[in-house]
Amino acid sequence: MAAHVRRVSGTVAAAALLLALGPAAVAAPPAPRVERISTATDGSELTAASGGGVISGDGRYAVFSSADPEGGIDTRLYLKDLRTGALTQVPEDLVYTTGPMLSGDGRYVAYSNGNRYPKPYVYDRVTGRTELLWPEGPPQDTSYELGTAVAISADGRHVAYTLGNRHGDDYARVLHVRDLDTGTDRQISPLPPEGLIRDAWLSADGRAVAYSVAARTDQGTEGRIHVVRDGHESDIGSGFSATLVRLSDDGRRALFNAAAAEGTTTAYLQDLPTGRVRQAAGTAAVAADSSLRHVLLSGDGGLDLLALPSGRRHPVARRAPPPSPARSTATATPSSSPPRPPTWCRATPTASRTSSYDA
């Protein structure tokens, strides 16, 4: 499953949802499984809490953050090779690091780092070079003192990031995209801003950019989604208060969630060339693969994988039932530490994939 899967955060563990992918003609694919990634190379326990897991589009690598094992404020980023189990640290001086993400082949790691004024960065695992993402000439309408990496293209060439300051909705005020080959930055969202930029997605080649905005209106905050491709802008989910889930790798389709007045959330698919919108599921989507044929849904029961071509749902993870209330006469007995809750991974896109789930 190649999903850019949105995180459902846990506090002490990271796990990767691995759906084995490969040409069906070669061999029957392994059964889907959930695998813990926040372990050392030998499988032993890490000494600090971990979270924020992200999986590469080719399914080979996962990256996650971990707290300072000595109790300091530093954050460490680890890359896990899911084929060999090898765990390596991203060799950076990291403080309050957030939002790690990977290119399709796992070569590039984008993340945000810093204490009061975080900045977006991208790390090249092949060259060992770290690059700050910041335009040479930022907008002059206000002060820009911090930024956040929000998306990376499957080919690893383009990285989207926001700029802003510490004043309310200005935290993510304007969206830019860096071309790592040319070193140029392109402003995507207009100024003055509609509101806080919440999410962004890039097509596999970086030509199409979709982003969500919490727009300020006279009636309050309204979720809006815009797509910019080759300089032309269009909207996703017009008529809904919507949030973006992901853009397909070809940039032609978008998956979004729409909130209803009674508080329910429904997942929809929109075909961008025609504008056609159809309901994907009667519950919220948290992720999808690069083609938007398979959607990960979140409901009261847990996580389910929906195969849109057939409408079949495959259970992925069930929520544990609440513990039975202890009797008033019971005596608590110290025991080993309770199981650690996992953090589901957001998976970065890949340019070309064949899913083992066609049903």
Side-chain angles (χ1 to χ4, degrees), residues 79-214:
L79 186 92
K80 170 68 72 73
D81 187 325
L82 301 174
R83 185 179 301 168
T84 67
L87 186 74
T88 57
Q89 184 178 341
V90 175
E92 299 296 327
D93 182 17
L94 303 175
V95 180
Y96 291 117
T97 307
T98 59
M101 58 195 70
L102 292 167
S103 59
D105 61 0
R107 171 175 174 173
Y108 296 95
V109 184
Y111 57 90
S112 306
N113 180 57
N115 186 358
R116 296 180 64 192
Y117 306 98
K119 298 291 194 303
Y121 297 88
V122 62
Y123 171 68
D124 186 338
R125 295 177 49 236
V126 173
T127 66
R129 180 172 180 260
T130 299
E131 188 172 327
L132 171 66
L133 303 172
W134 202 266
E136 183 176 350
Q140 300 298 308
D141 60 312
T142 187
S143 63
Y144 289 93
E145 55 190 3
L146 50 82
T148 304
V150 291
I152 186 168
S153 61
D155 61 10
R157 176 172 174 173
H158 299 88
V159 185
Y161 62 96
T162 59
L163 300 179
N165 55 56
R166 292 177 296 157
H167 304 295
D169 286 352
D170 281 354
Y171 187 87
R173 181 179 174 87
V174 63
L175 181 69
H176 282 72
V177 170
R178 165 72 58 87
D179 185 326
L180 298 179
D181 284 0
T182 65
T184 57
D185 297 276
R186 178 167 51 109
Q187 181 179 323
I188 301 300
S189 61
L191 289 171
E194 293 178 282
L196 179 73
I197 296 172
R198 298 192 291 194
D199 287 296
W201 267 94
L202 293 165
S203 60
D205 59 8
R207 291 177 58 192
V209 187
Y211 64 97
S212 295
V213 180

Side-chain angles (χ1 to χ4, degrees), residues 5-359:
V5 174
R6 295 287 175 191
R7 291 184 293 275
V8 180
S9 297
T11 57
V12 291
L17 170 64
L18 302 178
L19 300 180
L21 303 176
V26 175
R33 66 195 185 278
V34 175
E35 179 179 321
R36 173 121 178 243
I37 62 172
S38 57
T39 57
T41 300
D42 62 3
S44 62
E45 192 83 13
L46 295 181
T47 58
S50 303
V54 180
I55 189 170
S56 62
D58 62 7
R60 170 81 186 263
Y61 299 99
V63 66
F64 63 93
S65 59
S66 188
D68 186 347
E70 299 184 6
I73 65 172
D74 295 344
T75 303
R76 299 184 180 184
L77 287 185
Y78 290 104
L79 186 92
K80 170 68 72 73
D81 187 325
L82 301 174
R83 185 179 301 168
T84 67
L87 186 74
T88 57
Q89 184 178 341
V90 175
E92 299 296 327
D93 182 17
L94 303 175
V95 180
Y96 291 117
T97 307
T98 59
M101 58 195 70
L102 292 167
S103 59
D105 61 0
R107 171 175 174 173
Y108 296 95
V109 184
Y111 57 90
S112 306
N113 180 57
N115 186 358
R116 296 180 64 192
Y117 306 98
K119 298 291 194 303
Y121 297 88
V122 62
Y123 171 68
D124 186 338
R125 295 177 49 236
V126 173
T127 66
R129 180 172 180 260
T130 299
E131 188 172 327
L132 171 66
L133 303 172
W134 202 266
E136 183 176 350
Q140 300 298 308
D141 60 312
T142 187
S143 63
Y144 289 93
E145 55 190 3
L146 50 82
T148 304
V150 291
I152 186 168
S153 61
D155 61 10
R157 176 172 174 173
H158 299 88
V159 185
Y161 62 96
T162 59
L163 300 179
N165 55 56
R166 292 177 296 157
H167 304 295
D169 286 352
D170 281 354
Y171 187 87
R173 181 179 174 87
V174 63
L175 181 69
H176 282 72
V177 170
R178 165 72 58 87
D179 185 326
L180 298 179
D181 284 0
T182 65
T184 57
D185 297 276
R186 178 167 51 109
Q187 181 179 323
I188 301 300
S189 61
L191 289 171
E194 293 178 282
L196 179 73
I197 296 172
R198 298 192 291 194
D199 287 296
W201 267 94
L202 293 165
S203 60
D205 59 8
R207 291 177 58 192
V209 187
Y211 64 97
S212 295
V213 180
R216 297 180 291 267
T217 70
D218 293 339
Q219 291 73 40
T221 301
E222 177 183 273
R224 298 175 182 172
I225 308 173
H226 305 294
V227 179
V228 177
R229 185 182 183 95
D230 299 331
H232 301 286
E233 181 175 309
S234 58
D235 293 335
I236 295 175
S238 297
F240 297 93
S241 183
T243 55
L244 180 68
V245 178
R246 89 158 284 167
L247 182 71
S248 64
D249 267 7
D250 61 11
R252 295 177 59 87
R253 293 172 300 282
L255 177 68
F256 66 92
N257 288 324
E262 65 272 17
T264 60
T265 301
T266 304
Y268 291 90
L269 274 171
Q270 180 166 330
D271 182 81
L272 300 185
T274 65
R276 178 174 175 264
V277 177
R278 66 183 179 94
Q279 182 175 319
T283 187
V286 295
D289 69 354
S290 60
S291 66
L292 303 190
R293 295 177 67 239
H294 300 90
V295 178
L296 191 65
L297 304 174
S298 176
D300 293 338
L303 297 174
D304 291 301
L305 183 65
L306 171 65
L308 287 175
S310 66
R312 294 181 60 188
R313 294 175 70 136
H314 305 270
V316 174
R318 302 293 87 188
R319 298 189 192 279
S324 301
R327 296 187 180 184
S328 59
T329 56
T331 301
T333 303
S335 61
S336 59
S337 299
R340 300 189 176 199
T343 295
W344 305 110
C345 283
R346 165 187 177 172
T348 47
T350 180
S352 177
R353 301 205 58 174
T354 301
S355 173
S356 62
Y357 264 129
D358 291 325

